[in-house]
Amino acid sequence: MQPVHKSQKLANVCYDIRGPVLEHAKKMEDEGHRIIKLNIGNPAPFGFFAPDEIIEDVIVNLPSASGYSDSKGLFAARKAIMHYAQQKQLPNVGMDDIIVGNGVSELIVMAMQALLDNGDEVLVPAPDYPLWTAGVSLAGGKAVHYLCDEEQGWFPSIDDIRAKITPSTRAIVVINPNNPTGAVYPPALLKQIVEVARQHQLIIYADEIYDKVLYDEVKHTSIASLAPDLFVVTFNGLSKNYRACGYRAGWMILSGEKKHAKDYIEGLNMLASMRLCANVPAQFAIQTALGGYQSIGDLVAPGGRLARQRDLAHKLLTDIPGVSCVKPQGALYLFPKLDPKVYPIGDDQQFILELLQEEKVLLVQGSGFNWIAPDHFRVVFLPNSDDLVEAIGRIARFLENYRKRHGGEA
């Protein structure tokens, strides 16, 4: 029999958050090892559950959820999303400008498939949430990574964005709050990005899935609210703000000046219809989630569980010799840097695999987020404090041994 090969369209697609190291971790678990998993921002395994009123709404409405919904989503869900868009001051948003999906992940891929021809370019941050790069590649496009500057709090470099624009550039992706760095962008910076998009007639794709996961009283500004004359597509959902990852309930909002994007929007509607609809039971959670008590505020406030765990994980990591980390203002992650003089790393995936094998802690290497050097990794700070102390203690022990083995500076 001739071998069956995967499509060439997958040649440049990578998603290391669930990649080869995770497969090795699964084998270790099958052998009886207990792995501390700090690789995925999945709140439920760590005791963060969807609010009871959301669960109750889904249960009560299950008898009504057997059939397909409108391909764009239930009326009540989209109405609630429209009201949320108004609260965030997104301009020119009506009911038809909202598409509900099976999580934001589905919608990112859909948005890229509807836009890109072979060779089209999309500006994507480095580091990024890797599904953006994968979605661009899968659609036949080329992800061009603009630098987020660690020395400037992981804010995007406007000069680098300008330098990366070519005649083939179609759009720019802005992940705010950022995954994996936790940076939250101020309005002045967002206005600079808007001006670049305006000058070069770029679509702005705004990934705002963590827009309520904010610390230290930081405020989030939707970039679409600053760009009424541009076409902006904003992504959000229930996964993180409402600890409902498994519900797979996300949405995209089309805002701003849409006349010139009429053909593209037709393509989005076509793709939405082709998958018939998003899962209906979870759509019944959206109205209650957006309109009910925002319990995420209790978790991220000073003294709240997420805020405490962020502070603890940051302190434990930065206490390790040769490790530095910009303290995140949002999201669920830290993205620490390893001083290359102390830890001379050639292959960061191999480095993370060795950590897993020796200390049974699972992380994701920086290159998994399209970072440019083998000197970072992402840490999820969702585990409770005792488990964080244990996990980061193991990381510290591994790093000490690694430094001794590879001759890094003391």
Side-chain angles (χ1 to χ4, degrees):
M1 297 287 287
Q2 290 187 345
V4 180
H5 296 289
K6 65 179 180 292
S7 167
Q8 289 298 310
K9 290 181 290 187
L10 295 172
N12 296 315
V13 173
C14 180
Y15 191 75
D16 277 346
I17 294 175
R18 294 178 181 264
V21 180
L22 176 62
E23 292 302 314
H24 194 90
K26 289 178 179 177
K27 292 179 181 178
M28 291 176 66
E29 286 184 316
D30 290 342
E31 294 167 359
H33 298 286
R34 176 180 175 266
I35 308 299
I36 300 178
K37 296 177 181 177
L38 306 181
N39 62 315
I40 296 177
N42 185 19
F46 304 105
F48 294 96
F49 302 115
D52 289 344
E53 61 179 352
I54 293 177
I55 298 171
E56 290 166 5
D57 262 21
V58 174
I59 292 170
V60 167
N61 286 288
L62 270 176
S64 305
S66 298
Y68 297 127
S69 72
D70 183 281
S71 61
K72 289 186 175 182
L74 291 173
F75 178 88
R78 284 189 292 141
K79 191 77 169 180
I81 295 165
M82 187 183 78
H83 289 158
Y84 186 63
Q86 292 169 351
Q87 293 170 22
K88 299 285 285 188
Q89 300 182 340
L90 274 60
N92 193 22
V93 176
M95 289 284 289
D96 285 340
D97 300 315
I98 295 161
I99 299 176
V100 179
N102 296 301
V104 168
S105 300
E106 178 190 49
L107 297 171
I108 288 172
V109 173
M110 184 188 300
M112 296 300 100
Q113 292 281 355
L115 177 71
L116 298 176
D117 292 319
N118 290 342
D120 285 347
E121 297 177 358
V122 177
L123 292 167
V124 178
D128 72 336
Y129 177 59
L131 183 62
W132 279 105
T133 295
V136 171
S137 298
L138 189 62
K142 177 184 177 183
V144 177
H145 293 99
Y146 65 84
L147 182 67
C148 294
D149 187 351
E150 188 170 15
E151 298 297 321
Q152 301 297 322
W154 286 117
F155 290 169
S157 167
I158 300 300
D159 289 341
D160 196 57
I161 290 173
R162 291 186 185 278
K164 298 289 175 63
I165 294 173
T166 75
S168 298
T169 307
R170 301 290 308 280
I172 181 169
V173 174
V174 179
I175 305 174
N176 176 39
N178 186 266
N179 175 8
T181 68
V184 180
Y185 304 152
L189 175 63
L190 295 173
K191 288 177 181 177
Q192 289 182 280
I193 297 173
V194 166
E195 184 55 33
V196 173
R198 183 178 290 122
Q199 291 173 4
H200 296 276
Q201 300 187 49
L202 305 180
I203 298 172
I204 298 174
Y205 290 105
D207 183 341
E208 300 184 353
I209 193 71
Y210 296 97
D211 71 333
K212 291 181 182 291
V213 188
L214 306 168
Y215 308 99
D216 306 326
E217 299 184 356
V218 169
K219 304 297 183 185
H220 178 266
T221 300
S222 288
I223 193 170
S225 69
L226 306 174
D229 58 321
L230 302 182
F231 179 55
V232 182
V233 184
T234 301
F235 299 81
N236 213 319
L238 300 186
S239 292
K240 311 301 182 178
N241 293 335
Y242 302 95
R243 288 83 68 202
C245 295
Y247 284 36
R248 308 313 301 134
W251 54 84
M252 59 180 170
I253 304 170
L254 316 181
S255 67
E257 177 49 63
K258 297 187 285 283
K259 288 181 181 179
H260 68 291
K262 183 178 178 181
D263 194 57
Y264 173 63
I265 295 170
E266 185 177 308
L268 287 175
N269 292 338
M270 184 185 305
L271 291 177
S273 297
M274 285 171 61
R275 48 106 221 221
L276 299 176
C277 69
N279 80 85
V280 177
Q283 291 187 52
F284 281 106
I286 293 174
Q287 184 177 28
T288 294
L290 292 179
Y293 180 69
Q294 302 300 299
S295 56
I296 185 65
D298 299 331
L299 296 170
V300 300
R305 183 180 163 189
L306 282 175
R308 293 197 316 271
Q309 291 173 191
R310 177 203 62 155
D311 293 344
L312 174 63
H314 182 265
K315 182 182 187 307
L316 292 172
L317 284 165
T318 54
D319 281 348
I320 301 171
V323 178
S324 60
C325 184
V326 177
K327 197 170 189 178
Q329 295 183 309
L332 306 171
Y333 317 101
L334 299 118
F335 198 59
K337 178 180 181 179
L338 299 172
D339 185 336
K341 294 179 181 178
V342 181
Y343 307 103
I345 299 168
D347 181 339
D348 62 351
Q349 180 171 285
Q350 180 62 32
F351 173 84
I352 293 298
L353 179 59
E354 290 175 16
L355 169 64
L356 171 67
Q357 293 169 329
E358 292 184 27
E359 295 292 349
K360 300 178 180 59
V361 176
L362 179 59
L363 303 175
V364 181
Q365 69 277 9
S367 62
F369 302 95
N370 293 293
W371 184 239
I372 55 178
D375 58 2
H376 283 74
F377 55 86
R378 190 186 73 168
V379 176
V380 175
F381 55 81
L382 285 168
N384 64 47
S385 297
D386 289 345
D387 286 338
L388 282 174
V389 171
E390 173 68 21
I392 298 175
R394 295 187 191 187
I395 294 169
R397 184 169 59 198
F398 172 79
L399 289 175
E400 182 180 4
N401 292 332
Y402 187 93
R403 185 173 69 244
K404 291 176 180 177
R405 287 199 306 270
H406 295 274
E409 295 179 2

